Amino acid sequence: MKKANNPLLNLKSDFPSSIVVFLVALPLCLGVALASNAPLFSGIIAGIVGGIVIGSLSGSQLSVSGPAAGLTAIVAVAIGKMPAFEAFLLSVFICGIFQVILGFLKAGIIGDYIPNSVIKGMLAAIGLILILKQIPHLVGFNSSFEGDESFKEAGNQNTFSSLGNALRHITPVAVLIGGLSLGLHIIWDKFTAKRKGFIKLVPAPLLIVLLGVGINEYFKSQGSAYSINPEHMVNIPVANSAGEFFSFFTFPDWSQVLNKEVWITAVTLALVASLETLLSIEAIDDLDPYQRVTNKERELKAQGMGNMLSGLIGGLPVTSVIVRSSANVNSGAQSRMSTIMHGMLLLLCVAFIPVILNLIPKAALAAILIYTGYKLAKPSLFKMYYKKGWDQFLPFVITIVAILFTDLLKGVMVGMVVGIFFVLRSNFRTAVFIVNDLNTYLFRLRKDVSFLNKPIIKNKLEQVPENSYVLIDASRADFIDKDVIDVIEDFMIHAPLKNIRVELKKSSSKVQGFSDMLDVKAKDNHHLIRQPETTLAEVED
């Protein structure tokens, strides 16, 4: 494996990766802007800022930021309520300020509480969504905007109904380009896998784009009616002069600073964008072959600075985005230079060669995204989690299903609830160990004994028959809830009524306060506690 801190080796990996991310990001930036009812160039601005600015400030080596599909509904509604797009830009700027504050408040710790099964389920779900959503674009049917992640689509359509519609609106040349592009991607990756030298520097997506442009231009030159319609091509605004290009950048309307809608939108964007970023960072850290850990507080501050600048120059709000980031990882990026260079490529290409970029068929880009989706949702991942057991497999699968039929944030919330249930269930089952041999009982309290364990301890103690011996071992507990202590005390008080002999084993010094409480209760009831006539050595072993 290459050393992650070797600048020369990093450049050999990062530059080809930046080209891949650029080609993935280009249609997504335009698609998110279109779905948000915002100027198309605002999506490009957000992609540039996400790449250059956030890439430079972020502590993440592989995360890529840009306009996110998960914010489109919020952005579209907000723009509709604002007197002008410039007022919305003020919300984006204020959103950035709030994110910087969240960074200083160390809100990034939220990301550490997401179960791994949910993170993997989220990645697999994004992979499946990419495949399902890009198939219509692959055959020349624009059922939704590029990068859409929601189940529901415009016109009362959804992810699955759009697939059916796509089969009835096939563009032959798009199918040809999409099929050949997908095949080329698979073959090229296998061909270069074990090779060294210059061939490794040529990314498959670049060849795919050249192939797609070549095929479509050939059919156009032949005057074929089968050539792809302009609506199925990349559509970047073209400036005829430097002045016109700079006119694409707009500035916030500071006079709207007292508009309550501006502040409501800013707070909403800050919370949702921060949550999406933390989810993405957790996922990308998990995909990182070096398993590097991103400083979450630094990431929130970087996102905040990025959104402040994006709002200042006319861009959409940005977050760390899983699709672009996973494409970055899968293409072999080693450091954040890949992210920064992809932002530079966006800026240079839309400034100097937008006409050439507009020759790219969406079918070719769809093939790149479908292959990225497959990398995220490989069948081996499902097999691996199935072998881990139901407590891992169910949260994984339920997260996938929930995201597929809702959206990213809602699906993750459902997955987290299921994941937390299994975590609590596991802790609940292992915190109390109960075993008996004839009339000899061992109650061993381990790890954290919470109030959730109270019912089972209480019920099992009450089920101890007359003339028994009970050893309550709290020596391995890190924490014992006061409710549990009360249950033990009550049992110790009435145990002699059933001629039950009780021994209490001290808790460890780690929870001296709880140990003392139990000792006090034992001393107060010493006349009720008799020395055992039977040992539990065999049971304890």
Side-chain angles (χ1 to χ4, degrees):
M1 185 179 287
K2 299 174 182 178
K3 293 183 179 179
N5 59 354
N6 188 314
L8 182 60
L9 290 178
N10 285 350
L11 185 60
K12 289 181 179 179
S13 300
D14 289 340
F15 182 66
S17 298
S18 70
I19 296 175
V20 175
V21 180
F22 160 69
L23 293 173
V24 168
L26 181 63
L28 299 183
C29 289
L30 295 170
V32 170
L34 181 65
S36 301
N37 295 326
L40 287 181
F41 204 77
S42 65
I44 298 293
I45 293 172
I48 294 170
V49 170
I52 299 175
V53 178
I54 297 180
S56 300
L57 299 176
S58 170
S60 175
Q61 296 298 317
L62 299 176
S63 171
V64 182
S65 296
L71 297 178
T72 53
I74 298 172
V75 173
V77 171
I79 291 176
K81 291 182 178 180
M82 302 285 183
F85 181 66
E86 289 74 14
F88 172 74
L89 294 179
L90 181 58
S91 291
V92 178
F93 176 79
I94 298 172
C95 157
I97 295 176
F98 282 135
Q99 285 186 294
V100 172
I101 294 172
L102 288 174
F104 280 107
L105 293 177
K106 300 187 181 301
I109 196 173
I110 295 171
D112 295 330
Y113 289 95
I114 305 171
N116 284 338
S117 57
V118 175
I119 293 294
K120 287 293 189 181
M122 176 177 68
L123 288 170
I126 292 295
L128 291 174
I129 287 173
L130 278 176
I131 294 170
L132 294 172
K133 293 285 188 180
Q134 293 303 316
I135 287 176
H137 295 292
L138 192 77
V139 300
F141 178 66
N142 288 345
S143 59
S144 61
F145 67 90
E146 292 280 355
D148 187 13
E149 295 173 357
S150 298
F151 179 68
K152 293 183 179 179
E153 298 178 0
N156 293 321
Q157 297 296 313
N158 59 53
T159 301
F160 297 110
S161 64
S162 291
L163 287 174
N165 290 333
L167 296 177
R168 294 191 293 269
H169 298 84
I170 290 177
T171 303
V173 175
V175 174
L176 177 64
I177 292 173
L180 291 177
S181 297
L182 198 54
L184 175 60
H185 207 323
I186 296 170
I187 294 170
W188 188 256
D189 273 10
K190 290 184 177 180
F191 176 71
T192 60
K194 297 182 180 180
R195 284 171 171 76
K196 299 180 181 180
F198 177 77
I199 196 75
K200 293 284 288 186
L201 300 179
V202 182
L206 180 60
L207 298 178
I208 287 170
V209 166
L210 294 175
L211 175 67
V213 171
I215 292 175
N216 191 53
E217 289 302 305
Y218 169 77
F219 278 96
K220 284 172 63 178
S221 67
Q222 298 298 312
S224 173
Y226 292 108
S227 61
I228 299 177
N229 294 328
E231 68 214 44
H232 301 311
M233 308 288 289
V234 170
N235 184 23
I236 296 174
V238 178
N240 296 316
S241 65
E244 187 178 353
F245 176 75
F246 285 112
S247 71
F248 293 151
F249 295 84
T250 53
F251 306 99
D253 183 357
W254 301 102
S255 67
Q256 296 294 320
V257 71
L258 297 179
N259 186 335
K260 71 174 185 178
E261 290 295 337
V262 168
W263 288 88
I264 292 173
T265 300
V267 172
T268 304
L269 288 174
L271 294 175
V272 177
S274 297
L275 184 56
E276 283 217 15
T277 290
L278 294 175
L279 290 171
S280 179
I281 289 296
E282 284 293 322
I284 300 310
D285 282 356
D286 188 69
L287 290 177
D288 184 358
Y290 296 99
Q291 294 298 295
R292 290 165 287 192
V293 178
T294 300
N295 184 310
K296 310 298 192 305
E297 284 68 44
R298 177 176 172 178
E299 183 65 29
L300 287 177
K301 294 172 187 176
Q303 294 289 331
M305 295 299 293
N307 274 316
M308 289 170 67
L309 180 60
S310 187
L312 280 175
I313 61 176
L316 292 174
V318 295
T319 73
S320 175
V321 188
I322 293 177
V323 175
R324 270 159 270 195
S325 301
S326 60
N328 195 33
V329 174
N330 291 330
S331 56
Q334 299 290 320
S335 76
R336 58 185 177 180
M337 280 307 300
S338 173
T339 300
I340 297 170
M341 287 189 287
H342 117 272
M344 293 178 176
L345 283 173
L346 270 175
L347 175 60
L348 294 174
C349 290
V350 299
F352 297 108
I353 56 169
V355 175
I356 295 177
L357 294 179
N358 287 341
L359 297 176
I360 302 175
K362 289 183 179 179
L365 299 177
I368 299 171
L369 289 169
I370 287 174
Y371 191 74
T372 300
Y374 172 75
K375 288 279 191 177
L376 289 173
K378 285 185 175 180
S380 58
L381 183 63
F382 290 81
K383 293 179 182 178
M384 181 184 75
Y385 266 86
Y386 180 74
K387 291 179 180 178
K388 283 177 176 285
W390 290 105
D391 59 331
Q392 293 291 307
F393 185 66
L394 282 179
F396 171 74
V397 170
I398 290 173
T399 299
I400 294 173
V401 173
I403 292 176
L404 284 177
F405 285 93
T406 56
D407 56 40
L408 180 65
L409 287 180
K410 292 177 183 176
V412 167
M413 293 301 175
V414 172
M416 284 186 65
V417 170
V418 177
I420 290 172
F421 166 77
F422 278 101
V423 169
L424 291 175
R425 178 174 174 267
S426 175
N427 289 339
F428 175 78
R429 295 178 64 180
T430 58
V432 181
F433 174 74
I434 303 171
V435 65
N436 73 288
D437 180 18
L438 299 177
N439 284 348
T440 302
Y441 288 78
L442 169 65
F443 286 75
R444 176 167 288 155
L445 309 183
R446 302 181 294 190
K447 298 191 300 184
D448 297 333
V449 187
S450 71
F451 72 94
L452 295 174
N453 301 107
K454 174 184 173 181
I456 190 170
I457 295 174
K458 184 175 181 179
N459 292 333
K460 291 296 183 181
L461 284 172
E462 289 304 314
Q463 292 174 16
V464 174
E466 296 179 353
N467 305 313
S468 299
Y469 162 67
V470 175
L471 172 61
I472 300 175
D473 181 6
S475 63
R476 303 185 186 185
D478 295 324
F479 167 80
I480 304 175
D481 190 88
K482 292 180 180 179
D483 282 2
V484 174
I485 294 173
D486 289 339
V487 167
I488 294 173
E489 179 192 31
D490 293 342
F491 174 74
M492 291 166 65
I493 291 173
H494 70 257
L497 299 176
K498 298 168 66 176
N499 195 30
I500 297 174
R501 299 184 300 279
V502 182
E503 181 181 358
L504 179 65
K505 194 171 181 179
K506 288 184 179 182
S507 179
S508 64
S509 58
K510 290 182 290 184
V511 285
Q512 189 61 48
F514 294 100
S515 177
D516 291 344
M517 294 179 68
L518 284 169
D519 288 342
V520 168
K521 296 177 190 303
K523 290 176 182 178
D524 290 343
N525 297 282
H526 68 277
H527 60 285
L528 304 178
I529 305 175
R530 305 175 187 174
Q531 292 300 316
E533 297 176 1
T534 309
T535 66
L536 282 177
E538 294 183 2
V539 176
E540 290 186 57
D541 290 340

